[in-house]
Every structure is written in structure tokens, then in C-alpha cells.
Amino acid sequence: MQKRPTHLTNRTVLAIAALAVTPMASHGQGSLPAQELIRRQAAVAEADTLLNEGREFYAKGKFKSAVDKYRAALDTLPYGTATTHRREVITNHLNDGAVALAQTNRRNGKYDEARGLLNEVQDNDPDNWAVKKQLEYLDDPIRTNPSLTYEHTQNVDKVRRLLYKGEGHYNLGLYDKAEDDFKNVLRIDPYNKAARRWMERCAAIKSSYYNAAYDQTRAQMLMEVDRAWELAVPPVGDDVFIQDNGGGGSELVQTITEKLQTIRIPLIDFSDATVDEAIDFLRARSRELDTTTLDESLKGINFVVRKPRATGAVDDVDGLDAEGGLGASSDPGGARIDSLFLKNVPMQVALQYICDKAKLRYKVDEYAVTLLPLDATETDEIITRTWTVPPTFQSFLDDGGGGNDGGGDPFADDAGSGAPTITARKGMRELLEDRGVSFPDGASAQYLAGSSSLLVRNTPTNLELIEAIVEASINDTPRQIKILTKFVEISQENGEELGFDWIVSPLGFGGAGPN
């Protein structure tokens, strides 16, 4: 420990004063000795400043910086009898700093640097007992580990920091980052038990979570299995819905009608717009303002502008009649709406105004709202529709319609001729015609036995009649019992859960209970 005062001693102050007074008495102010005297005085002051800085570093334990300051102070201090005592003071500080730095280097594994500093001090002060003691420590394998290296001491500091960092991540619940820190510790120190213990704690926390997740997943899956055994409550009454054969048209029409009445348009402002443009506007706004359903695929209303079929001759080139309306052969989508301004009206009202302006009418179908000319008939369009019918549909038509009761013997004698005849079965079109369905040009009917489907091309009016026939055939079908069978297969292995909980006491193994 350094016990020397930081201020200049009285002897040093007198020496500096002597340097300052004697030459000035013998020489003038501007002489070369006077300039040299001023330089030496500045050097002494600078050396004193360096000495004080070195002492501050020494007090803070920064021995390397302290030694550098002491060396700089000695190099700055001028030689002379007046500065001899000051040089001795700085040299003693340098020796103390060098011994402290050598001791630090010895502890950090820098043996060569430590020995070099001690030998330097010993050359200057052969009787320094601290130097001799530190040299003995360097040569003693018990006090100084010969295998210690500076890299090892640096790794020790890294390991300490990583352990503290990993513990911080663990306390914050960041277990993955904590494990990464402890793995980095093991990369530096493969046999660090503290890192392994922390990793064990992280694994235990994760294991507890995964056990909870396992219980939750198993409970969820068992719940789904139990739910699969739930039987639906049958509807009240005898009218049990069997199958959707396209007979839900009235319900679909009701849905579209409700949307037309429910959806309100804040503002409509048309000026010299076509019907197609107006319908595009209603179609877009119906999707935006539809609040009757949350399903995006079911929102909005479909609009169709039906064009009349061409008959081979056009009576009016412009497609307009005498009153300015649309002819049967014109395009309704091209009709013009001169001006229409409405605020906060239902879509049904807006649609009616558009039809009045364009001399059109609209009809609500199952899947769309159709706009057509006022004089258009249902025979203007032939559309295709498919029904799934019972396997006995063709027999149902053959037995109940067309004047053929189906009860006769197909092999009976023909008009008493004595020879049996076979009556050919009527086609699907003929059977439907016997039921009162007309088939204009381009209409057809086909029964697909493989899929038990009825494919018909006809006008909407005739399709509605066919739909009624299909519904009658379904209701006429003998009632059957529908059995729904569900097979549930569950595989659960409890072998992994078998084990023992061992209780270890200070005296040995205690009781063990099965898990």
C-alpha cells in the first residue's frame, strides 16, 4: 500500500525555488539558462500531475494505467540534485504499482509479464521484500498453478456472465433463451454442473407444461369421441325430411325476397345509365349492405337480365315499340334510365323504379332475381335442371299416368289373335307428357339410371310442374328406416405411464409407490 503524500514535500519545493532564483540572479531574463529553467519548472509540474493521476488509478485498482503514469512521470521529470528526492518518490510509487500489477498478472495466468515486472523492480530495489515475496509465489506450485492461463481466466468470467444471464431469462419465463445461455456455458466449460442444473430446471418446467398439454389434448379428443355418439333430436310430427331434391325452391325464393325487403340503399343517383350498369350497382351494394348472414359466400343477391330468344326475324331494328318501350327481341340490358334519384329505400323499391324506367319487370327465382321485358313469356328461355329421384320414379310415372295402369299382362293376346305381344316401355319424355308436361322445341328429358337422376331441359313453368311430380313421387315412396352407424376406434397406451416414484432419504432409499 502506498502511504506517501500526494503534495510536494517542503524539501522539493525549496529545490524548485532554488532552481528558479539562482540562475535568474546570475543571468538576465532573456538568457538561455532562464529559458531552460522555465522548461524544467514546467517539466516538474507535469511530472507531478502524472504522479497524481497514477495514484488515482492505483486507488481504483487499475494498476496497469497507474504504472504507465508513473513511467511517464519519471521520463518527464528532469534530472538534477533539486529533483532527486522527487525522483525517489516517483520510483517508489512505480515499484509499488509494478508489484501490484505483477500480483494481478500472476492471478490471471500472465506469468511471464509478472516475472518481467518483478525483475525490473528488483534491479532498481534489490532489498524490496514485496518483490521477493511475489517471486517466491511465482516459483511455488502450491500458490501458483503452473497450468493456469490467461485464456482460462477470461473463460471463467464469460461463464459467470452467461450463468447470470441464463438465470435472468429463466426468471422471466424465457426458457428457450435460458437453455441457449446454459448451452453456451457448456461449450466453454463442458463439465459445468451449475449449467446442467439450470437446464434440468428448464426441462422440468417444460415437462410440466407438456403434461398439462397432454391432459388437455386427451380430454379434447375424448370429448370429440363422446360428441360423435350424440343423436340428433328428430323433428316434431310425421313429416320427416328425407332428401333435398330441389324442392326447396319456395324457401330460397323467400330468402331472396326477404333480402330485397331488408337491404336498404342509402343513395341511388342514376343519370343516363343502362340497365346493366344499374344492376351492377345493385349487385355490389347488396353484398356490402347484406346483414342477414355472416357467411361471405351467401351475402348479396344475384341479378340476371334475361334476353329473349331470337325467332329468326326482327320486327323493329331499334328494338323499341311505339311507346318507347322494349320489344320482345331487344336487349333489356341496354335500355336507358334517363334519371333516377332515391335516398334510403329498400332494394325492392329501387328495383321496381328501375323496371318502371326501363319498361321491364322482375321475377324472383330460387337463386337470382331475373329482369325481363314486359311482354316476355316463360317460353322465351329453356333452362336445364337436375333432380335426384327415387329408383321407382319411372315405374311411378308408368303406373299412374298416360292411361296405362300398368296392371295388364304384357304377354297377353293382341286382339284375340292368340299371339302374345310385348309392349315397349315409354321414354321419360313420353311419361312426363302423359303427366301434362309440354316439351317445346329444344326441350328434352332423360333419366340416368346409374345415379338415379332426372335431367330435363325445359321452360321454367314446365320445370315447376316437373318439380311437383318429383315431390309426389318422393312422398309416394314407401317409407324406409334410415340407420346411421358410426365406428369409433380409440387406441391408448398406458405403458409409458407405468413407473415408480422413489423417495430418497438421508439414510438411504425410503418407500416407493407405484405410479
Side-chain angles (χ1 to χ4, degrees):
M1 295 295 293
Q2 294 183 341
K3 299 181 181 180
R4 300 177 181 82
T6 59
H7 57 275
L8 297 177
T9 61
N10 294 331
R11 183 176 178 182
T12 304
V13 173
L14 293 175
I16 296 176
L19 288 174
V21 173
T22 304
M24 293 180 63
S26 303
H27 306 279
Q29 287 286 345
S31 62
L32 183 61
Q35 296 178 2
E36 177 64 18
L37 178 60
I38 295 174
R39 187 192 67 79
R40 291 170 65 89
Q41 290 176 352
V44 170
E46 183 179 358
D48 188 64
T49 301
L50 293 172
L51 174 63
N52 291 331
E53 292 177 356
R55 287 181 58 83
E56 292 178 359
F57 282 121
Y58 186 93
K60 296 178 182 179
K62 300 179 180 180
F63 304 120
K64 180 68 171 60
S65 299
V67 170
D68 293 339
K69 292 295 183 179
Y70 295 151
R71 292 179 187 272
L74 284 178
D75 295 339
T76 305
L77 186 67
Y79 288 91
T81 55
T83 58
T84 301
H85 178 72
R86 195 57 181 171
R87 182 171 294 277
E88 292 178 359
V89 172
I90 297 176
T91 301
N92 292 333
H93 282 77
L94 176 60
N95 293 339
D96 293 341
V99 171
L101 180 59
Q103 184 177 2
T104 302
N105 290 339
R106 180 178 65 84
R107 293 173 179 173
N108 291 333
K110 295 183 177 181
Y111 300 139
D112 294 337
E113 291 86 344
R115 191 176 297 276
L117 288 171
L118 294 175
N119 290 334
E120 181 181 355
V121 175
Q122 191 175 33
D123 293 340
N124 297 329
D125 188 6
D127 297 331
N128 193 313
W129 65 272
V131 174
K132 295 179 180 180
K133 183 177 180 181
Q134 289 299 321
L135 288 174
E136 291 178 358
Y137 286 169
L138 278 174
D139 297 332
D140 187 357
I142 297 177
R143 294 181 178 272
T144 303
N145 187 354
S147 301
L148 180 64
T149 61
Y150 179 70
E151 182 181 2
H152 178 79
T153 58
Q154 293 296 106
N155 289 337
V156 170
D157 184 66
K158 292 180 181 178
V159 166
R160 184 187 304 109
R161 291 179 178 273
L162 287 173
L163 287 176
Y164 283 127
K165 184 179 179 182
E167 182 180 1
H169 282 146
Y170 178 86
N171 294 332
L172 294 175
L174 306 175
Y175 304 115
D176 292 337
K177 292 185 178 181
E179 283 188 345
D180 292 339
D181 294 332
F182 299 135
K183 288 178 181 178
N184 290 331
V185 170
L186 293 177
R187 291 185 181 97
I188 300 174
D189 184 8
Y191 302 102
N192 192 288
K193 293 186 294 183
R196 288 293 181 182
R197 291 301 182 188
W198 277 111
M199 292 179 67
E200 178 187 3
R201 296 177 66 177
C202 292
I205 290 290
K206 289 185 177 181
S207 178
S208 177
Y209 164 76
Y210 291 133
N211 286 334
Y214 165 78
D215 294 337
Q216 183 270 331
T217 303
R218 180 173 61 178
Q220 179 72 21
M221 296 179 67
L222 291 176
M223 181 273 294
E224 293 178 358
V225 172
D226 294 337
R227 183 175 60 185
W229 288 99
E230 179 188 11
L231 295 178
V233 178
V236 179
D238 296 331
D239 297 333
V240 181
F241 178 77
I242 299 177
Q243 173 176 341
D244 184 9
N245 294 283
S250 59
E251 182 179 350
L252 297 176
V253 170
Q254 182 65 26
T255 301
I256 296 179
T257 303
E258 291 178 358
K259 288 187 177 183
L260 288 173
Q261 298 172 354
T262 304
I263 300 175
R264 302 183 72 88
I265 303 179
L267 178 63
I268 295 178
D269 188 4
F270 295 148
S271 178
D272 193 21
T274 64
V275 172
D276 287 336
E277 294 173 348
I279 293 304
D280 289 340
F281 174 79
L282 294 183
R283 188 182 295 113
R285 297 297 285 169
S286 67
R287 288 195 298 267
E288 297 174 3
L289 303 174
D290 189 359
T291 58
T292 60
T293 180
L294 297 178
D295 191 350
E296 293 294 335
S297 61
L298 300 178
K299 284 189 173 184
I301 302 174
N302 296 323
F303 291 91
V304 178
V305 180
R306 182 186 299 175
K307 298 181 180 180
R309 295 192 320 174
T311 59
V314 180
D315 298 334
D316 191 349
V317 177
D318 296 332
L320 297 176
D321 57 12
E323 297 180 358
L326 289 168
S329 60
S330 61
D331 183 8
R336 291 283 177 177
I337 301 172
D338 53 357
S339 178
L340 181 60
F341 183 82
L342 300 172
K343 293 180 65 176
N344 195 23
V345 294
M347 184 163 290
Q348 185 177 16
V349 176
L351 183 61
Q352 185 62 52
Y353 273 102
I354 292 175
C355 291
D356 294 342
K357 286 283 187 180
K359 298 187 182 305
L360 302 174
R361 64 184 176 91
Y362 72 90
K363 184 182 70 170
V364 180
D365 297 327
E366 299 176 7
Y367 299 101
V369 176
T370 305
L371 278 74
L372 62 164
L374 292 175
D375 55 352
T377 62
E378 296 294 338
T379 59
D380 289 338
E381 182 180 7
I382 294 180
I383 58 179
T384 303
R385 187 168 177 183
T386 304
W387 289 269
T388 301
V389 297
T392 59
F393 179 71
Q394 196 166 3
S395 299
F396 170 79
L397 296 179
D398 196 10
D399 294 341
N404 185 9
D405 56 3
D409 185 2
F411 299 97
D413 295 342
D414 185 11
S417 62
T421 60
I422 299 177
T423 304
R425 171 168 286 184
K426 296 181 179 181
M428 183 56 61
R429 175 170 176 170
E430 295 177 358
L431 293 174
L432 291 175
E433 286 179 343
D434 292 341
R435 288 282 184 157
V437 179
S438 61
F439 283 83
D441 294 339
S444 63
Q446 184 180 5
Y447 175 70
L448 305 177
S451 59
S452 188
S453 301
L454 177 63
L455 177 63
V456 180
R457 283 177 48 83
N458 213 321
T459 61
T461 302
N462 290 326
L463 290 179
E464 291 178 1
L465 179 57
I466 296 174
E467 181 179 351
I469 297 174
V470 171
E471 290 181 356
S473 68
I474 294 174
N475 295 330
D476 185 71
T477 302
R479 300 216 174 164
Q480 301 177 359
I481 299 175
K482 182 178 181 181
I483 300 176
L484 177 63
T485 304
K486 295 184 179 180
F487 296 91
V488 180
E489 182 179 353
I490 303 175
S491 177
Q492 181 174 355
E493 298 180 0
N494 296 330
E496 297 180 355
E497 298 184 0
L498 298 178
F500 293 89
D501 292 333
W502 297 96
I503 301 176
V504 182
S505 63
L507 301 178
F509 290 97
N515 185 14

